[in-house]
Short mmCIF file of all heavy atoms in Angstrom, two decimals:
data_model
loop_
_atom_site.label_atom_id
_atom_site.label_comp_id
_atom_site.label_asym_id
_atom_site.label_seq_id
_atom_site.Cartn_x
_atom_site.Cartn_y
_atom_site.Cartn_z
N LEU A 1 -59.25 -9.21 -201.33
CA LEU A 1 -57.90 -8.76 -200.98
C LEU A 1 -57.32 -9.74 -199.98
O LEU A 1 -58.04 -10.27 -199.13
CB LEU A 1 -57.94 -7.36 -200.34
CG LEU A 1 -58.22 -6.17 -201.25
CD1 LEU A 1 -59.18 -5.22 -200.57
CD2 LEU A 1 -56.91 -5.47 -201.57
N SER A 2 -56.02 -9.98 -200.07
CA SER A 2 -55.35 -10.79 -199.06
C SER A 2 -55.31 -10.02 -197.74
O SER A 2 -54.91 -8.85 -197.70
CB SER A 2 -53.92 -11.10 -199.51
OG SER A 2 -53.11 -11.46 -198.42
N ALA A 3 -55.71 -10.68 -196.66
CA ALA A 3 -55.64 -10.03 -195.35
C ALA A 3 -54.20 -9.73 -194.97
O ALA A 3 -53.91 -8.73 -194.31
CB ALA A 3 -56.30 -10.92 -194.30
N GLU A 4 -53.28 -10.59 -195.40
CA GLU A 4 -51.88 -10.42 -195.03
C GLU A 4 -51.27 -9.18 -195.66
O GLU A 4 -50.51 -8.45 -195.02
CB GLU A 4 -51.07 -11.65 -195.44
CG GLU A 4 -49.60 -11.54 -195.14
CD GLU A 4 -48.81 -12.78 -195.53
OE1 GLU A 4 -49.42 -13.85 -195.67
OE2 GLU A 4 -47.56 -12.67 -195.69
N THR A 5 -51.58 -8.90 -196.93
CA THR A 5 -50.97 -7.78 -197.64
C THR A 5 -51.89 -6.56 -197.71
O THR A 5 -51.59 -5.59 -198.41
CB THR A 5 -50.58 -8.20 -199.06
OG1 THR A 5 -51.73 -8.70 -199.76
CG2 THR A 5 -49.51 -9.29 -199.02
N LEU A 6 -52.99 -6.60 -196.99
CA LEU A 6 -53.95 -5.50 -196.99
C LEU A 6 -53.32 -4.24 -196.39
O LEU A 6 -52.60 -4.30 -195.40
CB LEU A 6 -55.17 -5.91 -196.15
CG LEU A 6 -56.32 -4.92 -196.02
CD1 LEU A 6 -56.98 -4.68 -197.37
CD2 LEU A 6 -57.34 -5.44 -195.00
N SER A 7 -53.59 -3.10 -197.02
CA SER A 7 -53.11 -1.81 -196.50
C SER A 7 -54.27 -1.03 -195.92
O SER A 7 -55.45 -1.30 -196.21
CB SER A 7 -52.45 -0.99 -197.61
OG SER A 7 -53.43 -0.59 -198.58
N ALA A 8 -53.95 -0.03 -195.12
CA ALA A 8 -54.99 0.79 -194.50
C ALA A 8 -55.81 1.52 -195.57
O ALA A 8 -57.04 1.62 -195.45
CB ALA A 8 -54.36 1.79 -193.53
N ASP A 9 -55.15 2.05 -196.59
CA ASP A 9 -55.86 2.77 -197.64
C ASP A 9 -56.83 1.86 -198.38
O ASP A 9 -57.98 2.24 -198.67
CB ASP A 9 -54.88 3.39 -198.63
CG ASP A 9 -54.12 4.57 -198.03
OD1 ASP A 9 -54.56 5.09 -196.98
OD2 ASP A 9 -53.09 4.96 -198.61
N ARG A 10 -56.38 0.66 -198.70
CA ARG A 10 -57.25 -0.25 -199.44
C ARG A 10 -58.37 -0.78 -198.55
O ARG A 10 -59.46 -1.08 -199.03
CB ARG A 10 -56.43 -1.39 -200.05
CG ARG A 10 -55.60 -0.89 -201.26
CD ARG A 10 -55.65 -1.89 -202.41
NE ARG A 10 -55.27 -1.28 -203.67
CZ ARG A 10 -54.04 -1.26 -204.18
NH1 ARG A 10 -53.05 -1.78 -203.49
NH2 ARG A 10 -53.80 -0.71 -205.35
N LEU A 11 -58.11 -0.91 -197.27
CA LEU A 11 -59.19 -1.30 -196.36
C LEU A 11 -60.27 -0.23 -196.35
O LEU A 11 -61.47 -0.54 -196.44
CB LEU A 11 -58.65 -1.51 -194.95
CG LEU A 11 -59.69 -1.74 -193.86
CD1 LEU A 11 -60.55 -2.97 -194.16
CD2 LEU A 11 -59.03 -1.86 -192.49
N THR A 12 -59.85 1.03 -196.27
CA THR A 12 -60.82 2.13 -196.29
C THR A 12 -61.64 2.11 -197.57
O THR A 12 -62.87 2.27 -197.55
CB THR A 12 -60.10 3.48 -196.15
OG1 THR A 12 -59.39 3.51 -194.90
CG2 THR A 12 -61.08 4.64 -196.19
N ALA A 13 -60.98 1.89 -198.70
CA ALA A 13 -61.68 1.87 -199.98
C ALA A 13 -62.63 0.68 -200.07
O ALA A 13 -63.76 0.81 -200.57
CB ALA A 13 -60.66 1.81 -201.13
N ALA A 14 -62.21 -0.46 -199.56
CA ALA A 14 -63.07 -1.65 -199.60
C ALA A 14 -64.29 -1.49 -198.71
O ALA A 14 -65.40 -1.90 -199.07
CB ALA A 14 -62.27 -2.89 -199.18
N MET A 15 -64.10 -0.87 -197.56
CA MET A 15 -65.22 -0.68 -196.64
C MET A 15 -66.22 0.35 -197.15
O MET A 15 -67.37 0.37 -196.71
CB MET A 15 -64.70 -0.25 -195.26
CG MET A 15 -63.84 -1.31 -194.56
SD MET A 15 -64.73 -2.85 -194.23
CE MET A 15 -65.80 -2.33 -192.91
N ALA A 16 -65.78 1.20 -198.09
CA ALA A 16 -66.68 2.21 -198.66
C ALA A 16 -67.62 1.60 -199.69
O ALA A 16 -68.61 2.23 -200.08
CB ALA A 16 -65.86 3.34 -199.29
N ILE A 17 -67.32 0.38 -200.15
CA ILE A 17 -68.20 -0.30 -201.10
C ILE A 17 -69.38 -0.88 -200.33
O ILE A 17 -69.21 -1.52 -199.30
CB ILE A 17 -67.45 -1.43 -201.84
CG1 ILE A 17 -66.26 -0.85 -202.62
CG2 ILE A 17 -68.38 -2.19 -202.77
CD1 ILE A 17 -65.34 -1.91 -203.19
N ASP A 18 -70.56 -0.67 -200.84
CA ASP A 18 -71.75 -1.18 -200.16
C ASP A 18 -71.94 -2.65 -200.53
O ASP A 18 -72.81 -3.02 -201.31
CB ASP A 18 -72.98 -0.36 -200.58
CG ASP A 18 -74.22 -0.78 -199.80
OD1 ASP A 18 -74.06 -1.42 -198.73
OD2 ASP A 18 -75.33 -0.47 -200.25
N GLY A 19 -71.08 -3.51 -199.92
CA GLY A 19 -71.11 -4.90 -200.33
C GLY A 19 -71.03 -5.90 -199.20
O GLY A 19 -70.63 -7.04 -199.41
N ALA A 20 -71.38 -5.49 -197.98
CA ALA A 20 -71.38 -6.39 -196.82
C ALA A 20 -70.06 -7.14 -196.69
O ALA A 20 -69.99 -8.36 -196.91
CB ALA A 20 -72.55 -7.37 -196.90
N PRO A 21 -68.96 -6.45 -196.38
CA PRO A 21 -67.64 -7.09 -196.35
C PRO A 21 -67.54 -8.19 -195.29
O PRO A 21 -68.09 -8.08 -194.20
CB PRO A 21 -66.69 -5.94 -196.04
CG PRO A 21 -67.54 -4.93 -195.32
CD PRO A 21 -68.89 -5.04 -195.93
N VAL A 22 -66.80 -9.25 -195.65
CA VAL A 22 -66.54 -10.34 -194.71
C VAL A 22 -65.07 -10.70 -194.78
O VAL A 22 -64.37 -10.38 -195.76
CB VAL A 22 -67.38 -11.60 -195.04
CG1 VAL A 22 -68.87 -11.30 -194.96
CG2 VAL A 22 -67.02 -12.17 -196.41
N LEU A 23 -64.60 -11.36 -193.73
CA LEU A 23 -63.26 -11.93 -193.75
C LEU A 23 -63.43 -13.43 -193.91
O LEU A 23 -64.01 -14.10 -193.04
CB LEU A 23 -62.49 -11.62 -192.46
CG LEU A 23 -61.04 -12.09 -192.45
CD1 LEU A 23 -60.23 -11.36 -193.51
CD2 LEU A 23 -60.41 -11.90 -191.08
N ALA A 24 -62.97 -13.96 -195.04
CA ALA A 24 -63.08 -15.39 -195.31
C ALA A 24 -61.88 -16.10 -194.71
O ALA A 24 -60.73 -15.74 -194.96
CB ALA A 24 -63.14 -15.64 -196.81
N LEU A 25 -62.16 -17.10 -193.88
CA LEU A 25 -61.13 -17.87 -193.18
C LEU A 25 -61.38 -19.35 -193.39
O LEU A 25 -62.51 -19.77 -193.63
CB LEU A 25 -61.16 -17.57 -191.67
CG LEU A 25 -60.99 -16.12 -191.23
CD1 LEU A 25 -61.38 -15.97 -189.77
CD2 LEU A 25 -59.54 -15.67 -191.44
N THR A 26 -60.34 -20.16 -193.25
CA THR A 26 -60.55 -21.60 -193.30
C THR A 26 -61.20 -22.07 -192.00
O THR A 26 -61.16 -21.38 -190.98
CB THR A 26 -59.22 -22.36 -193.47
OG1 THR A 26 -58.43 -22.22 -192.28
CG2 THR A 26 -58.45 -21.84 -194.68
N SER A 27 -61.79 -23.25 -192.04
CA SER A 27 -62.45 -23.77 -190.84
C SER A 27 -61.45 -24.01 -189.71
O SER A 27 -61.80 -23.89 -188.53
CB SER A 27 -63.19 -25.07 -191.16
OG SER A 27 -62.32 -26.04 -191.70
N TRP A 28 -60.18 -24.33 -190.05
CA TRP A 28 -59.17 -24.51 -189.01
C TRP A 28 -58.92 -23.22 -188.26
O TRP A 28 -58.86 -23.21 -187.02
CB TRP A 28 -57.86 -25.01 -189.62
CG TRP A 28 -57.85 -26.47 -189.98
CD1 TRP A 28 -57.68 -27.01 -191.22
CD2 TRP A 28 -58.04 -27.58 -189.09
NE1 TRP A 28 -57.73 -28.38 -191.16
CE2 TRP A 28 -57.95 -28.77 -189.87
CE3 TRP A 28 -58.26 -27.70 -187.71
CZ2 TRP A 28 -58.06 -30.04 -189.32
CZ3 TRP A 28 -58.39 -28.97 -187.17
CH2 TRP A 28 -58.29 -30.12 -187.97
N ARG A 29 -58.78 -22.12 -188.99
CA ARG A 29 -58.55 -20.83 -188.32
C ARG A 29 -59.80 -20.40 -187.57
O ARG A 29 -59.72 -19.87 -186.46
CB ARG A 29 -58.15 -19.78 -189.37
CG ARG A 29 -57.81 -18.40 -188.76
CD ARG A 29 -56.63 -18.47 -187.84
NE ARG A 29 -56.37 -17.19 -187.17
CZ ARG A 29 -55.92 -17.08 -185.92
NH1 ARG A 29 -55.69 -18.17 -185.19
NH2 ARG A 29 -55.71 -15.90 -185.39
N ALA A 30 -60.96 -20.63 -188.16
CA ALA A 30 -62.22 -20.29 -187.49
C ALA A 30 -62.36 -21.05 -186.18
O ALA A 30 -62.85 -20.51 -185.17
CB ALA A 30 -63.39 -20.58 -188.41
N GLN A 31 -61.95 -22.30 -186.17
CA GLN A 31 -62.04 -23.11 -184.96
C GLN A 31 -61.21 -22.49 -183.84
O GLN A 31 -61.65 -22.43 -182.68
CB GLN A 31 -61.55 -24.53 -185.26
CG GLN A 31 -61.58 -25.49 -184.10
CD GLN A 31 -61.12 -26.88 -184.51
OE1 GLN A 31 -61.58 -27.43 -185.51
NE2 GLN A 31 -60.21 -27.46 -183.75
N THR A 32 -60.01 -22.03 -184.17
CA THR A 32 -59.15 -21.38 -183.18
C THR A 32 -59.81 -20.12 -182.63
O THR A 32 -59.72 -19.81 -181.44
CB THR A 32 -57.79 -21.02 -183.80
OG1 THR A 32 -57.13 -22.23 -184.20
CG2 THR A 32 -56.90 -20.28 -182.82
N LEU A 33 -60.48 -19.36 -183.52
CA LEU A 33 -61.10 -18.09 -183.13
C LEU A 33 -62.50 -18.27 -182.53
O LEU A 33 -63.13 -17.28 -182.17
CB LEU A 33 -61.20 -17.18 -184.36
CG LEU A 33 -59.87 -16.73 -184.97
CD1 LEU A 33 -60.11 -16.08 -186.33
CD2 LEU A 33 -59.13 -15.78 -184.03
N LYS A 34 -62.97 -19.51 -182.45
CA LYS A 34 -64.32 -19.80 -181.94
C LYS A 34 -65.39 -19.14 -182.81
O LYS A 34 -66.40 -18.66 -182.31
CB LYS A 34 -64.46 -19.35 -180.48
CG LYS A 34 -63.44 -19.96 -179.53
CD LYS A 34 -63.62 -21.46 -179.43
CE LYS A 34 -62.75 -22.06 -178.34
NZ LYS A 34 -61.30 -22.03 -178.65
N ALA A 35 -65.12 -19.12 -184.12
CA ALA A 35 -66.08 -18.58 -185.08
C ALA A 35 -66.78 -19.73 -185.79
O ALA A 35 -66.16 -20.76 -186.06
CB ALA A 35 -65.39 -17.67 -186.09
N ARG A 36 -68.04 -19.58 -186.09
CA ARG A 36 -68.81 -20.63 -186.75
C ARG A 36 -68.41 -20.76 -188.22
O ARG A 36 -68.39 -19.77 -188.94
CB ARG A 36 -70.30 -20.32 -186.67
CG ARG A 36 -70.85 -20.31 -185.25
CD ARG A 36 -71.26 -21.69 -184.83
NE ARG A 36 -71.98 -21.67 -183.56
CZ ARG A 36 -72.55 -22.73 -183.02
NH1 ARG A 36 -72.52 -23.89 -183.67
NH2 ARG A 36 -73.18 -22.66 -181.86
N ALA A 37 -68.14 -21.99 -188.65
CA ALA A 37 -67.84 -22.25 -190.06
C ALA A 37 -69.08 -22.89 -190.69
O ALA A 37 -69.14 -24.10 -190.89
CB ALA A 37 -66.63 -23.16 -190.19
N TYR A 38 -70.06 -22.05 -191.00
CA TYR A 38 -71.32 -22.57 -191.55
C TYR A 38 -71.14 -23.18 -192.93
O TYR A 38 -71.97 -23.97 -193.38
CB TYR A 38 -72.36 -21.45 -191.61
CG TYR A 38 -72.86 -21.00 -190.26
CD1 TYR A 38 -72.64 -19.69 -189.81
CD2 TYR A 38 -73.54 -21.87 -189.42
CE1 TYR A 38 -73.10 -19.28 -188.57
CE2 TYR A 38 -74.00 -21.46 -188.17
CZ TYR A 38 -73.77 -20.16 -187.76
OH TYR A 38 -74.23 -19.75 -186.53
#
């Protein structure tokens, strides 16, 4: 799902899936957030 157009209802539904959810970001955005881009 696009993070930009994500709705609360769809977030709830996605989190109910047993699939280890992640937020995929580019390395440029990760760098700003001090997140590791492995």
Side-chain angles (χ1 to χ4, degrees):
L1 287 138
S2 159
E4 178 179 340
T5 56
L6 181 65
S7 68
D9 289 344
R10 286 223 162 92
L11 172 59
T12 299
M15 296 299 288
I17 300 171
D18 185 18
V22 299
L23 185 64
L25 302 166
T26 68
S27 57
W28 283 119
R29 183 62 185 145
Q31 180 178 312
T32 298
L33 295 169
K34 303 296 189 291
R36 296 274 189 174
Y38 291 117

